Amino acid sequence: MGNASGRDEDAAAVDGDGADVEDGGGDSSERDFPSYGSGGANHVRRACSVGVVGGGAAAGSPPGSPGHSLSPRMFVPQTPVPPLQRAADVTPVFNQILMDEQEEYDGPPQKEIPALIVWTLGGKNVYVEGSWDNWKSRKAMQKSGKDHSLLLVLPAGVYRYRFVVDGERRCLPDLPCEIDAMGNAVNLLDVNDYVPESVESVAEFEPPPSPDSSYSFQAPEDKDFAKEPPVLPSQLHLGVLNSQNSEESCARPQHIVLNHLFIEKGWGAHPLVSLGLTHRFESKYVTVVLYKPIER
Amino acid sequence: MVMQRFSWPYGGRSASLCGSFTGWREYPMGLVGAEFQVVFDLPPGVYQYRFLVDGVWRCDETKPFVCDEYGLISNEVLVENNVQPVVQPEPSIRGTNLDEGTVLTTMPPESSSQNPGVQIAVFRHVVSGILLHNTIYEVVPLSSKLAVLDTQLPVKQAFKIMHDEGLALVPLWDDHQGTITGMLTALDFVLMLRKLQRNIRVTGNEELEMHPISAWKEAKLQFYGGPDGAAMQRRPLIHVKDSDSLADVALTIIRNEISSVPIFKCMPDSSGVPFLNLATLQGILKFLCSKLQEQAGGCSLLHNQLLSIPIGTWSPHTGRSSSRHLRTLLLSSPLNTCLDFLLEDRVSSIPIVDDKGALHDVYSLSDIMALAKNDVYARIELEQVTVQNALDVQYQVHGRRQCYTCLQTNTLLEVLEGLSIPGVRRLVVIEQSTRFVEGIISLRDIFTFLLG
């Protein structure tokens, strides 16, 4: 009878597993007989998935834009339903019902991309209308200098739109446009979140040949290993104690000196010791030099 | 209450006004000739407002305006008691009566939008926004070096270190408490010198040689008590936290009459060092100037001349009032007199003038540290040393220095930029041709003015 929870199959539907959705999913027995109880929930949800793929209200969406899909973990009332039909057999009326039913559920958030629309040909009151909301509303454009502009945040896809300039429908001829079924010119807006890469612009990288001198070093011998190591790593010879106090910012210390205690005995002719410590506090570096008397 | 008129003279079919005084509810404006007007009866104060013209939120760019934390721009107005009241017209020409305002059809001529009182209020509002919304942590340099003295260090060594390192004040570390417990300043050196001068013939120089800083701090409480002879009360170390706002830090410095304050970390870290840096008014001012450059509106006061701004300490001959008396001293004055004035007036510096009254230099408390060089202080008597002698010692040690000055015709912006230069604590206002001292503007004056 299929998966009672419906999660596995729903995940496939949401992810757009075409074969599964087109078939209606499950085995043939599920399509031939009505199902009650836990399996019913599964059918309702699968039917919704069919609605997404079909036409109906989804036709208003731009081609290729993601439909209104269901969360795989959504709770659905378990009510008896007729057997699931193939997508091709679903009538437009039933399809519309499915779409209406589907509107009750919030799908996972779609990635929305900002798109700037600009009208450059003057006018006093400029509005824009488009297929992003099925031509339902007009949005006022903001005047900036001679131009009018509007920033929309839309899911990826291709949209049709036109301008209404001082009450007259217009389109910009120098932008992509097409003629609709009514013979009206509309502009096209391609919203996508990738930047096309120009392979030609990437210069070939030729690594320089290694210099011959880099192969001529002598292998270390016993006498090299017999040498005393340096008393202090060379990086720590940086003068934490000797750098100037200043009201302005000091140079950013190298990370190697952080949390090392530097000691300098005697200060001129004075019997004292200066202790220097550089530490980081969040994104700031502080070098503190403490002057202490030498106990006699 | 003061009648305040608001007008929108830039056209439109309908206009409404809303503001902080209406709870941001919209009130329709009446069309009078070519402009929309409304009058509100308001108590004195600073208010923000906006116009709704043909359904679009608008601001009048010719009037003072501010930008809030969300990026919304509003006009701002200062309502003052001394503003000429709006004359109430006859009932026959009055427009619609509103709950909290009246649309009038006749108005007196509008007062200048560049009213200095309004400009100052708007500027203070902008500045307080910056100072309240930024913490002292943001002002701390990316990398800094701080000298700290152990409280067991002999006083003489301490002042030598301060002189050689060019420090006017330094935090004190107490090993027993494992933290910063106080500050050693140039003022300590002055007080110690004066005590030393009283009994130097008896004790010689050994007092400074032997006594640790902690002993001096204890002795200071006894020597410099109140007028009734009672010892000064030990007060806890004044400090701020790295999360404190710039406004709080500036107020801490001003109210406690100190030049800088240690910044302690809110959360202890693995370094074991509890403090982060020293906060100064100059550091805050430099940060403020950088932020003001980013501000679009509300900063027109920056381009006003000092003449029109109530800031600083002024000589009586300028006719300007100030809370403090401006003193100047002749080069021939005894150094002791100079130190007396610095202590009595609780100021950090005094302009030094020549016989003609022209500015020669400024003697400040921190200049006294030059006397620590080669134990000069042990070989002089303060009564017999003139300010000229003291400055000569200063010049021998550090070379001749620039004296930072400005004119009354300089703008506030120029003054702020001048005081942002490292090492500049004050600007002496002079008369250009004669170099007579007209006033002095210190960092403290700037912040007292900015914080109202």
Side-chain angles (χ1 to χ4, degrees), chain A residues 197-218:
Chain A
E197 189 176 304
S198 171
V199 180
E200 292 78 13
S201 67
V202 181
E204 285 191 21
F205 175 67
E206 280 289 329
S210 300
D212 293 338
S213 60
S214 63
Y215 300 108
S216 61
F217 291 120
Q218 296 293 319

mmCIF file of all heavy atoms in Angstrom, chain A residues 197-218:
data_model
loop_
_atom_site.group_PDB
_atom_site.id
_atom_site.type_symbol
_atom_site.label_atom_id
_atom_site.label_comp_id
_atom_site.label_asym_id
_atom_site.label_seq_id
_atom_site.Cartn_x
_atom_site.Cartn_y
_atom_site.Cartn_z
ATOM 1 N N GLU A 197 30.335 32.602 -17.128
ATOM 2 C CA GLU A 197 31.796 32.688 -17.065
ATOM 3 C C GLU A 197 32.368 32.722 -18.468
ATOM 4 O O GLU A 197 32.006 31.913 -19.316
ATOM 5 C CB GLU A 197 32.331 31.468 -16.309
ATOM 6 C CG GLU A 197 33.803 31.570 -15.995
ATOM 7 C CD GLU A 197 34.261 30.380 -15.171
ATOM 8 O OE1 GLU A 197 33.683 30.147 -14.100
ATOM 9 O OE2 GLU A 197 35.179 29.688 -15.616
ATOM 10 N N SER A 198 33.221 33.675 -18.705
ATOM 11 C CA SER A 198 33.866 33.770 -20.009
ATOM 12 C C SER A 198 35.195 33.029 -19.935
ATOM 13 O O SER A 198 36.151 33.503 -19.330
ATOM 14 C CB SER A 198 34.097 35.236 -20.373
ATOM 15 O OG SER A 198 34.884 35.318 -21.524
ATOM 16 N N VAL A 199 35.209 31.849 -20.528
ATOM 17 C CA VAL A 199 36.414 31.014 -20.448
ATOM 18 C C VAL A 199 37.580 31.690 -21.162
ATOM 19 O O VAL A 199 38.730 31.591 -20.752
ATOM 20 C CB VAL A 199 36.134 29.616 -21.057
ATOM 21 C CG1 VAL A 199 37.367 28.733 -20.974
ATOM 22 C CG2 VAL A 199 34.966 28.970 -20.343
ATOM 23 N N GLU A 200 37.245 32.430 -22.232
ATOM 24 C CA GLU A 200 38.310 33.062 -23.013
ATOM 25 C C GLU A 200 39.081 34.099 -22.197
ATOM 26 O O GLU A 200 40.235 34.386 -22.476
ATOM 27 C CB GLU A 200 37.724 33.749 -24.260
ATOM 28 C CG GLU A 200 37.162 32.800 -25.304
ATOM 29 C CD GLU A 200 35.784 32.269 -24.938
ATOM 30 O OE1 GLU A 200 35.173 32.829 -24.015
ATOM 31 O OE2 GLU A 200 35.339 31.291 -25.561
ATOM 32 N N SER A 201 38.390 34.678 -21.189
ATOM 33 C CA SER A 201 39.036 35.763 -20.446
ATOM 34 C C SER A 201 40.069 35.257 -19.448
ATOM 35 O O SER A 201 40.816 36.032 -18.884
ATOM 36 C CB SER A 201 37.981 36.581 -19.701
ATOM 37 O OG SER A 201 37.403 35.786 -18.690
ATOM 38 N N VAL A 202 40.082 33.957 -19.190
ATOM 39 C CA VAL A 202 41.039 33.413 -18.223
ATOM 40 C C VAL A 202 42.335 33.101 -18.953
ATOM 41 O O VAL A 202 42.376 32.205 -19.801
ATOM 42 C CB VAL A 202 40.481 32.140 -17.541
ATOM 43 C CG1 VAL A 202 41.472 31.615 -16.521
ATOM 44 C CG2 VAL A 202 39.145 32.436 -16.893
ATOM 45 N N ALA A 203 43.371 33.853 -18.645
ATOM 46 C CA ALA A 203 44.655 33.630 -19.310
ATOM 47 C C ALA A 203 45.255 32.307 -18.843
ATOM 48 O O ALA A 203 45.093 31.923 -17.685
ATOM 49 C CB ALA A 203 45.598 34.778 -18.991
ATOM 50 N N GLU A 204 45.919 31.645 -19.745
ATOM 51 C CA GLU A 204 46.544 30.377 -19.362
ATOM 52 C C GLU A 204 47.677 30.652 -18.393
ATOM 53 O O GLU A 204 48.421 31.613 -18.541
ATOM 54 C CB GLU A 204 47.079 29.662 -20.608
ATOM 55 C CG GLU A 204 45.973 29.045 -21.434
ATOM 56 C CD GLU A 204 46.537 28.133 -22.510
ATOM 57 O OE1 GLU A 204 47.685 27.688 -22.368
ATOM 58 O OE2 GLU A 204 45.817 27.882 -23.478
ATOM 59 N N PHE A 205 47.787 29.769 -17.391
ATOM 60 C CA PHE A 205 48.815 29.957 -16.374
ATOM 61 C C PHE A 205 50.025 29.095 -16.713
ATOM 62 O O PHE A 205 49.923 27.879 -16.785
ATOM 63 C CB PHE A 205 48.265 29.582 -14.996
ATOM 64 C CG PHE A 205 49.311 29.631 -13.915
ATOM 65 C CD1 PHE A 205 49.864 30.841 -13.537
ATOM 66 C CD2 PHE A 205 49.747 28.473 -13.294
ATOM 67 C CE1 PHE A 205 50.831 30.895 -12.546
ATOM 68 C CE2 PHE A 205 50.715 28.522 -12.308
ATOM 69 C CZ PHE A 205 51.257 29.735 -11.929
ATOM 70 N N GLU A 206 51.130 29.750 -16.953
ATOM 71 C CA GLU A 206 52.375 29.039 -17.249
ATOM 72 C C GLU A 206 53.292 29.156 -16.043
ATOM 73 O O GLU A 206 53.818 30.229 -15.767
ATOM 74 C CB GLU A 206 53.056 29.662 -18.475
ATOM 75 C CG GLU A 206 52.468 29.225 -19.807
ATOM 76 C CD GLU A 206 52.793 27.765 -20.125
ATOM 77 O OE1 GLU A 206 53.859 27.290 -19.700
ATOM 78 O OE2 GLU A 206 51.968 27.111 -20.778
ATOM 79 N N PRO A 207 53.481 28.075 -15.291
ATOM 80 C CA PRO A 207 54.392 28.188 -14.143
ATOM 81 C C PRO A 207 55.822 28.415 -14.625
ATOM 82 O O PRO A 207 56.254 27.777 -15.593
ATOM 83 C CB PRO A 207 54.252 26.838 -13.433
ATOM 84 C CG PRO A 207 53.710 25.904 -14.459
ATOM 85 C CD PRO A 207 52.931 26.716 -15.437
ATOM 86 N N PRO A 208 56.552 29.338 -13.993
ATOM 87 C CA PRO A 208 57.934 29.582 -14.427
ATOM 88 C C PRO A 208 58.812 28.376 -14.098
ATOM 89 O O PRO A 208 58.546 27.667 -13.124
ATOM 90 C CB PRO A 208 58.343 30.808 -13.606
ATOM 91 C CG PRO A 208 57.461 30.777 -12.408
ATOM 92 C CD PRO A 208 56.175 30.155 -12.842
ATOM 93 N N PRO A 209 59.810 28.127 -14.893
ATOM 94 C CA PRO A 209 60.693 26.980 -14.603
ATOM 95 C C PRO A 209 61.500 27.233 -13.332
ATOM 96 O O PRO A 209 61.819 28.377 -13.008
ATOM 97 C CB PRO A 209 61.601 26.924 -15.836
ATOM 98 C CG PRO A 209 61.569 28.308 -16.398
ATOM 99 C CD PRO A 209 60.216 28.863 -16.090
ATOM 100 N N SER A 210 61.806 26.166 -12.611
ATOM 101 C CA SER A 210 62.616 26.308 -11.399
ATOM 102 C C SER A 210 64.034 26.706 -11.787
ATOM 103 O O SER A 210 64.592 26.154 -12.738
ATOM 104 C CB SER A 210 62.668 24.983 -10.633
ATOM 105 O OG SER A 210 61.375 24.591 -10.273
ATOM 106 N N PRO A 211 64.635 27.652 -11.056
ATOM 107 C CA PRO A 211 66.019 28.033 -11.389
ATOM 108 C C PRO A 211 66.985 26.881 -11.082
ATOM 109 O O PRO A 211 66.771 26.131 -10.126
ATOM 110 C CB PRO A 211 66.279 29.239 -10.483
ATOM 111 C CG PRO A 211 65.284 29.129 -9.382
ATOM 112 C CD PRO A 211 64.099 28.417 -9.940
ATOM 113 N N ASP A 212 68.011 26.768 -11.908
ATOM 114 C CA ASP A 212 68.984 25.677 -11.723
ATOM 115 C C ASP A 212 69.624 25.728 -10.345
ATOM 116 O O ASP A 212 69.928 24.698 -9.746
ATOM 117 C CB ASP A 212 70.084 25.765 -12.794
ATOM 118 C CG ASP A 212 69.519 25.490 -14.182
ATOM 119 O OD1 ASP A 212 68.446 24.847 -14.247
ATOM 120 O OD2 ASP A 212 70.125 25.918 -15.177
ATOM 121 N N SER A 213 69.813 26.954 -9.846
ATOM 122 C CA SER A 213 70.499 27.094 -8.554
ATOM 123 C C SER A 213 69.749 26.396 -7.429
ATOM 124 O O SER A 213 70.335 26.024 -6.419
ATOM 125 C CB SER A 213 70.676 28.571 -8.218
ATOM 126 O OG SER A 213 69.402 29.192 -8.145
ATOM 127 N N SER A 214 68.441 26.220 -7.616
ATOM 128 C CA SER A 214 67.664 25.620 -6.531
ATOM 129 C C SER A 214 67.960 24.131 -6.363
ATOM 130 O O SER A 214 67.528 23.517 -5.405
ATOM 131 C CB SER A 214 66.165 25.831 -6.768
ATOM 132 O OG SER A 214 65.772 25.175 -7.952
ATOM 133 N N TYR A 215 68.688 23.542 -7.330
ATOM 134 C CA TYR A 215 69.009 22.112 -7.221
ATOM 135 C C TYR A 215 70.451 21.880 -6.783
ATOM 136 O O TYR A 215 70.903 20.754 -6.713
ATOM 137 C CB TYR A 215 68.795 21.424 -8.575
ATOM 138 C CG TYR A 215 67.376 21.523 -9.073
ATOM 139 C CD1 TYR A 215 67.056 22.349 -10.147
ATOM 140 C CD2 TYR A 215 66.355 20.803 -8.463
ATOM 141 C CE1 TYR A 215 65.758 22.454 -10.607
ATOM 142 C CE2 TYR A 215 65.052 20.906 -8.914
ATOM 143 C CZ TYR A 215 64.759 21.732 -9.991
ATOM 144 O OH TYR A 215 63.469 21.834 -10.443
ATOM 145 N N SER A 216 71.192 22.970 -6.512
ATOM 146 C CA SER A 216 72.634 22.806 -6.301
ATOM 147 C C SER A 216 73.043 22.822 -4.831
ATOM 148 O O SER A 216 74.220 22.892 -4.529
ATOM 149 C CB SER A 216 73.385 23.919 -7.049
ATOM 150 O OG SER A 216 72.990 25.175 -6.536
ATOM 151 N N PHE A 217 72.054 22.833 -3.891
ATOM 152 C CA PHE A 217 72.431 22.855 -2.479
ATOM 153 C C PHE A 217 73.039 21.522 -2.062
ATOM 154 O O PHE A 217 72.597 20.462 -2.524
ATOM 155 C CB PHE A 217 71.209 23.156 -1.599
ATOM 156 C CG PHE A 217 70.708 24.559 -1.743
ATOM 157 C CD1 PHE A 217 69.412 24.811 -2.170
ATOM 158 C CD2 PHE A 217 71.531 25.637 -1.470
ATOM 159 C CE1 PHE A 217 68.951 26.106 -2.314
ATOM 160 C CE2 PHE A 217 71.075 26.935 -1.608
ATOM 161 C CZ PHE A 217 69.785 27.168 -2.036
ATOM 162 N N GLN A 218 74.018 21.629 -1.172
ATOM 163 C CA GLN A 218 74.633 20.415 -0.634
ATOM 164 C C GLN A 218 73.698 19.789 0.399
ATOM 165 O O GLN A 218 73.027 20.490 1.139
ATOM 166 C CB GLN A 218 75.965 20.768 0.053
ATOM 167 C CG GLN A 218 77.017 21.330 -0.894
ATOM 168 C CD GLN A 218 77.493 20.277 -1.888
ATOM 169 O OE1 GLN A 218 77.692 19.121 -1.528
ATOM 170 N NE2 GLN A 218 77.652 20.667 -3.148
#
